[in-house]
Amino acid sequence: MKVVTVVGARPQFIKAAVVSHVLRDRHTEVLIHTGQHYDYNMSEQFFKELDIPDPDYNLGISGGTHAQMTGRMMIAIEEVLMKEKPDWLLLYGDTNSTLAAAIAAAKLHIRICHVEAGTRTHSMTNPEELNRICTDHVSSLLLACTKSGMEGLEAEGLSDRGHMVGDPMYDAFLQYSVKREIKDIVLKTPDGDEFDVPDGYYYLTCHREENTNKEDALLEIFRAMESLDLPTVYPVHPRNKERASRLVRDNGFKNILLCEPVGYLESTALVRNAKSVVTDSGGLQREAFFAKKKCVTVLDFVVWPETMTGHRNELSVPVADEIIKRLNTPQVIDGDDEPFGDGNAAERIVELMERYQNI
Ligand code: UD1
Ligand code: UDP
């Protein structure tokens, strides 16, 4: 079986790492990196730390408007697919790289396997929602991480192509999150100065269009974090670097420790050792749940309802008092709750592609 995998953004490298290792044991994988994320600490560092094979194709496409990025990717991916003629196109999540590859492959009648299928926010202004819906509707094999993913497929009449496999992010968390000790992590400020992780801290990430297009949202998040009992470690996504640095400087925030993006081993170690997590990241919300850390998600839609039990993960509007109120609500953990599978999602993904390759 020959599989072309398309990745482009940070969370996709992590998911592809666990699946690629299983896939390559018994099949041929051709890896396309669209180039959507390209800084060393947003891309190559993940390939190195997670031992992901070098991409066979690096398309070098990033930036621009959504349509510009997606269109350029479609043209380049189509060319590779016509040359490689795979049995499957394997896709993860909901980025522009995912959408571009899905449309290109569907028009070439190449079977698509979509991992993280069925996830829905029901917010049509959320760019990832459009990418998910379009990708699911042109895919042949729809692999959901959780029960809510299966429900999302059912609601759109797609469940006959759907299977629940568990979450490859959970596989990755189990395999990699214990590999880096917090004492061995050296953070770097946006100016390049090194510093150690403080003894106690909150972990913040923030990169969504919803929170970074408006200055007020990020400022309110910072006001909340500044007023807490411990400092906040915030690895800044490049989308936000200029604005975050300026807001921290101009407002004299002393409790917010901005740093360059960290690798996956560092990020998961930071989650495990944090007092609590504040984020707008889909991946971070799940990792906080895996690590049993209280999470506040600054978004107005739910992405992973499974994490929202017992106040473990709560939505907040970007208003300082609201964020603080939710952070202070204690979580209640039901020890038996394992909605993201058993850590063997990668194996199931490969098995299902094998089972359906000739159907
Ligand atoms: C993308 C995904 C989002 C995902 C996130 C993971 C879409 C629509 N969005 O958002 O779903 O949660 O990746 O992190 O696909 N940039 C750099 N260096 C890099 C990468 C990005 O400087 O290595 C800058 C570029 O100026 C770029 C901007 O960040 O224009 C935004 O990057 P982009 O890939 O468009 O969106 P993300 O916010 O990363
Ligand atoms: N992450 C990382 N370094 C960072 C910030 C986050 O490795 O500096 C990891 C994080 O632990 C999670 C993944 O990146 O595994 C989430 O990706 P991101 O937030 O970029 O995208 P999303 O999950 O929201 O699509």
Side-chain angles (χ1 to χ4, degrees), residues 202 228-229 294 296 314 323-330:
Y202 294 88
L228 298 172
D229 55 322
K294 168 88 194 189
V296 174
E314 297 190 75
I323 295 169
I324 295 164
K325 193 165 87 192
R326 282 166 183 78
L327 264 180
N328 287 335
T329 313

Side-chain angles (χ1 to χ4, degrees), residues 23 43 50 63 68 144 157 162 171 210 231 272 276 283 309 336:
L23 185 60
S43 175
L50 305 180
Q68 285 165 348
D171 294 20
E210 288 84 349
R272 283 192 297 108
S276 301
T309 57
D336 298 333

Side-chain angles (χ1 to χ4, degrees), residues 58-83:
N58 196 326
L59 307 179
I61 299 168
S62 62
T65 64
H66 282 278
Q68 285 165 348
M69 190 198 291
T70 310
R72 285 159 62 218
M73 286 175 182
M74 278 173 64
I75 294 166
I77 292 168
E78 180 184 62
E79 209 171 293
V80 178
L81 291 175
M82 287 197 296
K83 183 169 154 221

Side-chain angles (χ1 to χ4, degrees), residues 41 45 49 180-189 192-198 233 235 258-263 265-267 269-270:
N41 56 22
Q45 183 169 1
E49 280 191 346
R180 184 75 85 240
E181 298 248 7
I182 206 82
K183 67 174 172 40
D184 296 330
I185 297 176
V186 179
L187 302 171
K188 210 185 260 183
T189 68
D193 298 326
E194 293 186 344
F195 64 103
D196 293 330
V197 180
V233 173
L258 300 185
C259 61
E260 286 290 318
V262 294
L265 306 186
E266 290 76 19
S267 183
L270 284 163

